[in-house]
Amino acid sequence: MIDPVSAYSPASSVEPQFKAVPKAERLPSSSGPAVVVGISEETMTRFKADMAVGEMVRQAERDKADSAAPSPWKLPSGLTHAERTLKNGHTEIIDIDGGTLTVREYDGDRLVKSVDGTMADGRAVLDTTYYDESGKASQTIHAELATLETRNGWSGAVMTRSVQWFEDGRTVRTMGDEMYLRTRNDGPASVAGNEWGRMTGEMKNDSDSLVRMLTSEEHSLGYHADIQEYYDNGQLSRSMIIGQTGEYAQVSNRHGFEVEGMGEMSTNELSHDTGLEVRIWEYDRDGEMIREATVIDNQKDGTGSEDGKQTQTADVSWYKDGEKVKHGKGSLVLEEVATAGLMKRPGILDLLGLKPDEYLSPEPQEADELLGRKALDSSAQADFFLEGAGRAAAKGWYGSAADMGEYGHRGQPFAVDWTTELYEDGEVVMRKRDSQRAVSAPYRGVDERLPFRTVGGLSDGDRPVVLESAEHETTLLENGKTVAREAMSSREIIQPSEEGPDTLMTLAHYERLNDDGNDGVNVIFKGGLELADPDARAALRSMGDEVDLTMTEVHHMYRDLRGDTASAGPDSILRYEPLDG
């Protein structure tokens, strides 16, 4: 017997349209009598049933082919279904069907979190929703991860996210962000490995070491986040923009044993060039501005003990009833020396949320593998890409100015300046400028005025590593014109002596504007800057206060984004693996 379903193979899956046919219809014929064609109702019913069965079979075949296609969503041992209990007691259920992913988290019978993943045009698309106790959405995250074209050996990937928070049906916070990553894997670390070997003194040239090569990786990262928060009356309360950039060179030991002085399964940073920019606008409930601030930090550092340099700028304005009442701005430049390094900055693993073992796969990973490694976490945790900056801010890593203002410069060359302006009715009525600098001291017995060495000097530990200077100027204004002014400047010098020890001296100049013009006086102090100017660190303290306040807000924002949606269990057992092609 021939299966009517398999025997019938229409060229199109579109069902043909039939019109009602009377019991007998005469069709024209070129020869012979007219032929009468009739289709019984039973035949029509059976034909349509055969068509429906055929379509069901073909759909089943398509579904089977889809389920057999490679999936980017991976569970241990190739499973497509998993259930587990999280550390908070919730139950997580995971299902994979080809390119489709479904994750549900329950607290008893109540749904608390859902994740739906699909593949669209080569992009991984993940939609995560958190639910409150009433069953309403409290947070939604739409995330997309895409692989970028490889250029000049640099692979690329980007994740974009759109996040919303809700309370009682109203939006209380929104965030849109993007993490962009480029990676170049340079193969065996013939250069970087040698560099590390020279640093550790463990370099070997025997043939056995050639099979135990370190690997060298370069990463270029850019992150941008735009966050808005709202009062319960719908007014914008705070807007924050955070931008991070980083260029990193890494050397890695991906072996289970020590290689060239590097411990097993470890990675070390050879150099970084990082940038952080924070912009904040704060408003009262009526929509009037309270404070706006911008802090920009850049740091470049390598493996050398004296090759690091850090720059910071800050610009802050305060408002009352919508009118500007105070404005401050300044900058800091700080250099590394052999005896004092720079404060740390988040590394590439910190910014990508990776643990060493996740970064150290047997072979170096491409950008989409690194960014996709924690895709199921980063797509479901709004704070994920801000953890590096948030934790660094909490540890005070961006607080160089405040730290030096309180404890001193540790012998590092630096330059800082800060200007404060006070306003009344929109006009500047007071301006105060403070600055401080430290430059490397000349060799023993050498002064810029004497090109020779002396027999004596500050050689027993009293000699300063740097020489400091400071300036202050306060100006009072009326209708834009200066009505009063005070200024002072002071600088340290080393007074050379041919007969005895050199002497640390401070030259100070004080100046005042009065009705008779400028009145000034010069004073020489035997000793350091603090004798002539007890307020020498004013610029450091002023800038440090504003930078610390801004970075504290960054930490608070990170903490608020983290909320109660942080991972409820160990790292997700679910993995995203980019599909080839």
Side-chain angles (χ1 to χ4, degrees), residues 115-358:
V115 180
D116 294 288
T118 58
M119 293 297 295
D121 300 325
R123 304 186 321 276
V125 180
L126 290 154
D127 286 288
T128 302
T129 303
Y130 293 90
Y131 303 89
D132 61 22
E133 292 186 358
S134 67
K136 295 180 180 179
S138 60
Q139 182 183 348
T140 61
I141 306 177
H142 176 80
E144 296 189 11
L145 175 61
T147 301
L148 303 177
E149 180 183 358
T150 297
R151 296 179 179 176
N152 299 321
W154 290 82
S155 62
V158 60
M159 175 176 276
T160 59
R161 306 188 302 174
S162 177
V163 192
Q164 287 185 293
W165 288 260
F166 306 95
E167 288 182 7
D168 301 324
R170 60 182 177 82
T171 301
V172 296
R173 184 188 299 116
T174 63
M175 181 180 79
D177 70 351
E178 177 181 80
M179 175 60 85
Y180 170 94
L181 177 66
R182 285 281 185 187
T183 291
R184 183 170 68 184
N185 297 313
D186 298 325
S190 56
V191 176
N194 288 340
E195 172 67 18
W196 185 259
R198 283 193 294 270
M199 291 166 56
T200 59
E202 296 287 339
M203 186 63 191
K204 297 178 181 179
N205 292 314
D206 55 48
S207 58
D208 185 54
S209 67
L210 296 178
V211 241
R212 303 179 175 185
M213 295 297 291
L214 305 177
T215 60
S216 175
E217 306 91 38
E218 295 179 79
H219 306 288
S220 177
L221 174 149
Y223 176 73
H224 178 89
D226 195 342
I227 308 165
Q228 289 82 36
E229 294 183 318
Y230 300 89
Y231 289 110
D232 54 12
N233 64 358
Q235 285 283 358
L236 181 65
S237 64
R238 179 168 58 170
S239 179
M240 181 181 292
I241 293 176
I242 300 175
Q244 290 181 274
T245 59
E247 306 286 335
Y248 298 91
Q250 299 284 134
V251 59
S252 303
N253 176 12
R254 299 171 184 273
H255 303 288
F257 46 81
E258 183 177 307
V259 177
E260 294 185 10
M262 282 190 67
E264 62 182 66
M265 293 297 291
S266 62
T267 183
N268 289 288
E269 182 183 286
L270 291 177
S271 66
H272 69 251
D273 188 348
T274 63
L276 173 70
E277 181 171 350
V278 179
R279 297 181 183 271
I280 299 175
W281 296 265
E282 296 176 278
Y283 305 87
D284 63 20
R285 295 179 62 85
D286 297 321
E288 298 287 358
M289 182 83 74
I290 298 175
R291 178 178 180 264
E292 60 178 329
T294 299
V295 170
I296 300 174
D297 177 272
N298 295 100
Q299 189 186 98
K300 189 173 184 178
D301 202 0
T303 55
S305 61
E306 299 183 14
D307 59 357
K309 186 175 182 179
Q310 172 188 325
T311 62
Q312 277 188 350
T313 61
D315 194 317
V316 184
S317 294
W318 293 85
Y319 297 81
K320 183 177 181 180
D321 299 327
E323 293 285 337
K324 184 187 291 188
V325 295
K326 183 180 179 181
H327 175 234
K329 64 178 180 179
S331 64
L332 168 68
V333 178
L334 179 62
E335 297 179 23
E336 181 182 46
V337 294
T339 56
L342 302 176
M343 287 191 176
K344 292 183 64 177
R345 290 294 179 267
I348 185 66
L349 272 67
D350 299 315
L351 298 180
L352 294 180
L354 296 176
K355 297 176 182 177
D357 64 305
E358 293 169 331

Side-chain angles (χ1 to χ4, degrees), residues 368-390:
D368 56 358
E369 295 174 300
L370 289 171
L371 201 52
R373 185 83 179 187
K374 301 294 282 288
L376 276 300
D377 297 305
S378 59
S379 65
Q381 298 171 22
D383 65 294
F384 189 87
F385 292 124
L386 285 172
E387 183 169 0

